[in-house]
Amino acid sequence: MRITMVGSGYVGLVTGACLADVGNSVLCIDTDQKKIDSLNNGKLPIHEPGLEALISDNTDAGRLQFSTDIAHGVKHAEIIFIAVGTPADEDGSADLRHVLAVAQGVGKHIEDFTVIVTKSTVPVGTAEKVRAAVQKEIKKRGVEVEFSVASNPEFLKEGAAIDDFIKPDRIVIGADDPRAVKRMRQLYAPFNRSHDRVIVMDIPSAELTKYAANALLATKISFMNDMANLAELLGADIESVRNGIGSDPRIGYHFIYPGVGYGGSCFPKDVQALYRTAKERGHEAKILAAVEEVNNEQKRVVLKKIHNHFGDDLTGKRFAMWGLAFKPDTDDMREAPSRVIMEGLWACGAEIAAFDPVAKEETMRIYNNRPDLLLCDGIYDTLEGADALIVVTEWKQFRSPDFSRMAEMMRERVIFDGRNIFQPDAAREHGFVYYGIGR
């Protein structure tokens, strides 16, 4: 099939590459000429395991191309995916300017029946706005062209996006036109062989499904962090509690790990946008408000523990930090807890020596060459003369360190484990003062 993906960011690149890999002809469009030039030269703007090789293979095979020409993209396609960003506006609502700009571009150039699919995470009612924007441009041209609008939300986890796409839990299609459903089923048939994963529903339900899914996962995280803070006050160990409740199949073990809060491009933005959508309809979504409030406070929990141990003035203190990305297997630092912690430490006069396996370049882009930030090439490089270690991201390579070597290198033996990846007894056996989350 001939597919055009408008938006060559995280969702667009993963979706486009995976669709090309099963034989489709995919054209990725973006307005950023530098990004397109980089992609044509094999350089990706994001880190995602396996994606670079997948894009390279399909580019070499001629199934995947990159361009800035929207007119060419529209004429190429049987299905056009809109996968541009929907950043949070000042009031927390989703900014749809980029989505509607794409719709206008499609309307200016569409010639034959095409299915136009919103892949971006968008509020309920966006598909109708896309439909109206396309129709308005067609009317301006004085022609008649049939098209159909559908919703096909993505459910990709950063760090495991390719597996999520090729082995999906579900494929949600929101459509009111049987022709669109037929074409979308045809597109997803290669990923749907063992059993039918396609769930067809009306467009508003599909749009809400994505927001509801992310909001529920964020709720589990905030709930567990709230329980972790209570566990500390009660003298309980939240890790034991987690095992106790996770064994209940109605609850499960996913997304009940306590830590320093969630970040990234999805959960913070989507919780805010869903709350705003509810408020616009006269509904006060109290749970969503609490989820965001708990998360914002949780990002500062480690800072509170640091001040309780060292005092308010951290001048002359040096902190080793393991992990900068908001989660493992990505370089994404949007809304990352590490940023809140680092900026809080700097405000009190501290210096930071940090390591992350893939987010070094992104950190440099955000903070330039700060004299109070040293970006290291390995975990032990961060520890020389450190007054404490802060674990922020649960990369696998952090889980079993050499505590004896750490003790020799650090000025003070203090660990703030923001992800509970260490066994407290193991750390204490080597003379460390250990602070976890809810332990």
Side-chain angles (χ1 to χ4, degrees):
M1 300 181 75
R2 300 185 312 279
I3 308 300
T4 291
M5 190 71 52
V6 186
S8 296
Y10 184 84
V11 173
L13 288 176
V14 173
T15 304
C18 289
L19 290 174
D21 201 48
V22 295
N24 296 297
S25 174
V26 179
L27 177 60
C28 290
I29 302 291
D30 203 284
T31 57
D32 187 338
Q33 184 68 57
K34 287 179 66 177
K35 181 189 286 187
I36 293 299
D37 290 342
S38 294
L39 286 165
N40 280 323
N41 290 321
K43 185 172 175 58
L44 273 60
I46 59 170
H47 173 84
E48 178 63 34
L51 184 59
E52 186 173 356
L54 193 67
I55 287 178
S56 177
D57 290 348
N58 285 282
T59 302
D60 292 345
R63 293 188 297 267
L64 181 61
Q65 296 178 301
F66 303 98
S67 173
T68 58
D69 188 349
I70 184 68
H72 175 45
V74 174
K75 290 171 184 176
H76 165 83
E78 298 170 69
I79 301 175
I80 297 172
F81 284 95
I82 302 177
V84 295
T86 53
D89 219 333
E90 289 182 10
D91 62 359
S93 60
D95 185 344
L96 297 177
R97 283 178 294 176
H98 301 305
V99 171
L100 297 179
V102 174
Q104 290 166 356
V106 172
K108 288 175 182 176
H109 301 290
I110 190 171
E111 294 177 352
D112 300 305
F113 176 76
T114 306
V115 178
I116 304 164
V117 183
T118 52
K119 194 71 174 172
S120 306
T121 302
V122 293
V124 175
T126 300
E128 289 308 312
K129 293 179 180 179
V130 167
R131 194 194 309 270
V134 174
Q135 191 61 57
K136 183 177 180 181
E137 295 300 323
I138 292 173
K139 188 175 181 181
K140 283 182 184 178
R141 292 162 54 199
V143 297
E144 290 187 11
V145 183
E146 285 193 88
F147 66 94
S148 183
V149 173
S151 172
N152 175 221
E154 54 85 15
F155 299 97
L156 306 176
K157 296 187 295 291
E158 289 192 42
I162 292 173
D163 268 356
D164 284 347
F165 193 94
I166 64 178
K167 301 172 187 174
D169 298 317
R170 71 285 207 199
I171 301 166
V172 173
I173 298 171
D176 52 17
D177 183 344
R179 294 174 298 175
V181 174
K182 182 179 179 181
R183 194 167 285 190
M184 292 294 286
R185 280 190 176 276
Q186 181 184 349
L187 177 66
Y188 279 110
F191 311 98
N192 200 35
R193 294 191 68 194
S194 64
H195 63 277
D196 191 5
R197 298 179 177 90
V198 173
I199 305 171
V200 179
M201 59 184 73
D202 60 273
I203 293 175
S205 296
E207 291 172 328
L208 182 57
T209 294
K210 169 64 176 180
Y211 275 116
N214 277 357
L216 183 55
L217 295 174
T219 300
K220 291 184 74 173
I221 294 170
S222 281
F223 174 82
M224 208 59 191
N225 283 332
D226 217 11
M227 290 299 100
N229 297 332
L230 178 59
E232 285 190 16
L233 297 174
L234 298 175
D237 185 345
I238 196 63
E239 292 299 318
S240 297
V241 175
R242 178 179 64 80
N243 286 322
I245 66 174
S247 58
D248 185 333
R250 296 171 301 173
I251 298 171
Y253 291 102
H254 294 299
F255 286 85
I256 61 169
Y257 288 85
V260 289
Y262 59 76
S265 62
C266 295
F267 287 5
K269 174 177 67 71
D270 293 352
V271 169
Q272 290 177 18
L274 187 55
Y275 176 80
R276 183 68 186 179
T277 296
K279 196 167 186 179
E280 288 172 353
R281 301 302 194 279
H283 176 65
E284 188 70 24
K286 296 176 183 177
I287 290 177
L288 296 180
V291 167
E292 184 178 16
E293 182 182 356
V294 168
N295 190 60
N296 290 337
E297 291 177 359
Q298 196 68 19
K299 290 180 180 181
R300 306 191 69 82
V301 161
V302 166
L303 286 172
K304 292 177 182 177
K305 293 176 183 289
I306 289 170
H307 287 305
N308 286 339
H309 183 90
F310 289 108
D312 292 337
D313 186 3
L314 301 176
T315 304
K317 297 293 182 184
R318 183 184 181 96
F319 292 89
M321 181 174 286
W322 290 2
L324 295 164
F326 86 94
K327 63 180 284 188
D329 295 314
T330 180
D331 63 349
D332 194 342
M333 288 185 62
R334 286 173 287 185
E335 303 283 343
S338 64
R339 298 176 65 169
V340 175
I341 295 168
M342 287 194 292
E343 289 164 16
L345 293 174
W346 288 328
C348 297
E351 295 180 355
I352 297 167
F355 170 72
D356 188 285
V358 300
K360 181 176 182 178
E361 197 172 307
E362 180 65 4
T363 307
M364 291 174 66
R365 185 191 69 79
I366 296 170
Y367 292 113
N368 297 315
N369 295 312
R370 287 189 66 120
D372 47 9
L373 173 61
L374 174 65
L375 295 173
C376 301
D377 295 324
I379 56 174
Y380 297 107
D381 297 336
T382 66
L383 298 175
E384 195 67 54
D387 293 285
L389 165 65
I390 309 167
V391 179
V392 183
T393 313
E394 64 276 31
W395 287 92
K396 287 182 180 178
Q397 62 186 273
F398 298 165
R399 293 181 184 179
S400 297
D402 185 339
F403 284 113
S404 297
R405 183 179 176 186
M406 292 167 60
E408 291 174 3
M409 299 180 72
M410 296 173 68
R411 184 160 54 194
E412 293 192 47
R413 299 180 183 182
V414 185
I415 295 175
F416 298 94
D417 185 355
R419 296 294 181 180
N420 289 353
I421 63 172
F422 301 147
Q423 291 299 323
D425 289 344
R428 289 171 184 143
E429 284 173 7
H430 289 85
F432 282 94
V433 177
Y434 175 88
Y435 297 97
I437 303 295
R439 312 192 82 173

